[in-house]
């Protein structure tokens, strides 16, 4: 026991030993980060400044804020490490990174479940939408979603960091995520985490059932519509949500069910980019290209500015 080393910091992945390549990948991540930040900030700004969008785009605005937070938790640290040549992150910073990333990811899932009901009301009862989806109901749904994310992430982080790390401090990813931390944790932590993962799967199944019920009702109503114009309008209402939901599910599968490498490969970096950077980058494009209200509000905002 006297020779046992207790780690107080971790070594993050560096995909290349060349300083020139490290600087180039840092600049590439900076460009992607600024692009995602700009797209989501524009979406939030349009929704906040246009009174017509305050209620009907409330959840989209919250999702854009969540994407800003998610990508800002992981990417700036990697950019700084790449440009400075460092690969270290302290244990408290790693725990905070894991907690915040999973908090916003779980909150986003809860928001997507609430949005499926929102889309159902918008399609089935469009004339009573404002009476059903009230600002108070939106605030309550947002509070429950954040509370769900907070509880989920707090338990995860508490379980994984309750014991010191003594085996290895090398993380083969550019940020601290659950599979990598789990792979270097002690056996006691792994057992506790596997138990909680089983509970998480149950929670995921519950969310999947709620989403399935909402969309079964939506598509049943769409199929019963006699007007092709009404059918196309209903489908365009739920298509952006379905696209975002698909991206979230695929990125979650890649993040949590993929193999955990024991060495640093370029594929590790690409996988990490796929589920942590690509969704925040392309979601604003989905909202703007598939949503006429946001397009119109964006044009009004540019006309006011220029």
């Amino acid at each position: 026991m006297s020779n046992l080393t207790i780690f107080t910091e971790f070594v993050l992945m560096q995909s290349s030993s060349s300083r020139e390549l490290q600087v180039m990948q840092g600049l590439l991540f900076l460009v992607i980060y600024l692009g995602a930040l700009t797209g989501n900030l524009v979406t939030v700004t349009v929704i906040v400044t246009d009174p017509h969008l305050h209620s009907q785009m409330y959840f989209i605005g919250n999702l854009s804020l969540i994407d800003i937070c998610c990508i800002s938790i992981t990417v700036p640290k990697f950019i700084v490490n790449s440009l400075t040549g460092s690969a270290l992150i302290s244990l408290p910073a790693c725990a905070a990174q894991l907690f915040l990333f999973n908090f916003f990811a779980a909150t986003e899932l809860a928001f997507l479940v609430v949005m499926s009901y929102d889309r159902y009301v918008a399609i089935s009862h469009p004339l009573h939408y404002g009476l059903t989806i009230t600002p108070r109901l939106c605030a309550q749904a947002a509070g429950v979603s954040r509370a769900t994310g907070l509880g989920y992430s707090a338990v995860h982080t508490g379980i994984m960091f309750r014991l010191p790390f003594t085996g290895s401090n090398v993380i083969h990813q550019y940020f601290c995520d659950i599979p990598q931390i789990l792979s270097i944790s002690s056996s006691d932590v792994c057992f506790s985490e596997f138990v909680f993962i089983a509970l998480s799967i149950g929670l995921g199944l519950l969310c999947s059932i709620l989403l399935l019920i909402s969309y079964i009702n939506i598509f049943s109503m769409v199929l019963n519509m006699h007007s092709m114009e009404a059918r196309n309008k209903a489908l365009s209402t739920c298509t952006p949500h379905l696209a975002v939901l698909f991206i979230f599910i695929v990125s979650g599968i890649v993040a949590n069910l993929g193999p955990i490498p024991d060495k640093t490969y370029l594929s590790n970096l690409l996988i990490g980019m796929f589920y942590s950077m690509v969704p925040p980058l392309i979601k604003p494009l989905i909202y703007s290209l598939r949503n006429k209200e946001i397009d119109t509000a964006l044009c009004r905002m540019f006309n006011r500015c220029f």
Side-chain angles (χ1 to χ4, degrees), residues 47-280:
I47 293 173
V48 170
T49 56
D50 196 307
H52 301 89
L53 302 179
H54 286 178
S55 58
Q56 57 179 324
M57 298 298 166
Y58 176 83
F59 296 111
I60 291 179
N62 274 274
L63 286 179
S64 294
L65 286 175
I66 290 173
D67 285 335
I68 291 172
C69 295
C70 273
I71 199 170
S72 298
I73 290 165
T74 58
V75 177
K77 174 64 177 175
F78 182 75
I79 294 173
V80 172
N81 284 356
S82 297
L83 296 180
T84 60
S86 173
L88 298 177
I89 183 172
S90 65
L91 190 146
C94 184
Q97 197 176 70
L98 185 140
F99 170 79
L100 291 173
F101 186 81
N102 286 280
F103 164 65
F104 289 113
T107 303
E108 181 172 357
L109 176 60
F111 265 108
L112 290 173
V113 173
V114 174
M115 282 183 68
S116 66
Y117 175 73
D118 174 76
R119 297 299 85 193
Y120 166 72
V121 174
I123 293 172
S124 62
H125 306 290
L127 299 179
H128 298 87
Y129 178 84
L131 298 176
T132 305
I133 308 298
T134 61
R136 180 179 179 182
L137 181 63
C138 291
Q140 290 174 346
V144 171
S145 299
R146 294 187 179 98
T148 302
L150 181 64
Y152 174 84
S153 184
V155 174
H156 257 309
T157 308
I159 288 175
M160 301 185 73
F161 287 89
R162 65 187 179 90
L163 294 177
F165 291 84
T166 57
S168 173
N169 69 334
V170 179
I171 298 175
H172 300 291
Q173 188 53 270
Y174 77 89
F175 67 98
C176 297
D177 63 343
I178 288 178
Q180 288 292 334
I181 299 298
L182 188 61
S183 67
I184 60 175
S185 299
S186 67
S187 57
D188 293 336
V189 172
C190 289
F191 175 77
S192 301
E193 180 65 10
F194 285 140
V195 172
F196 188 70
I197 285 176
L199 297 177
S200 301
I201 292 174
L203 179 62
L205 288 175
L206 176 61
C207 294
S208 301
I209 291 172
L210 294 175
L211 288 167
L212 190 62
I213 291 173
S214 294
Y215 273 100
I216 287 176
N217 291 327
I218 287 174
F219 287 122
S220 297
M221 295 189 61
V222 170
L223 292 175
N224 291 327
M225 292 179 179
H226 301 291
S227 171
M228 185 60 67
E229 182 181 355
R231 186 177 298 180
N232 291 334
K233 184 177 181 181
L235 289 176
S236 65
T237 300
C238 59
T239 299
H241 180 252
L242 282 174
V244 172
L245 189 62
F246 176 77
I247 294 171
F248 183 87
I249 292 174
V250 172
S251 60
I253 291 174
V254 171
N256 296 298
L257 300 182
I260 303 175
D262 55 359
K263 293 183 180 180
T264 297
Y265 300 104
L266 179 61
S267 59
N268 303 15
L269 181 66
L270 296 177
I271 291 173
M273 289 178 64
F274 175 77
Y275 71 82
S276 63
M277 297 183 67
V278 173

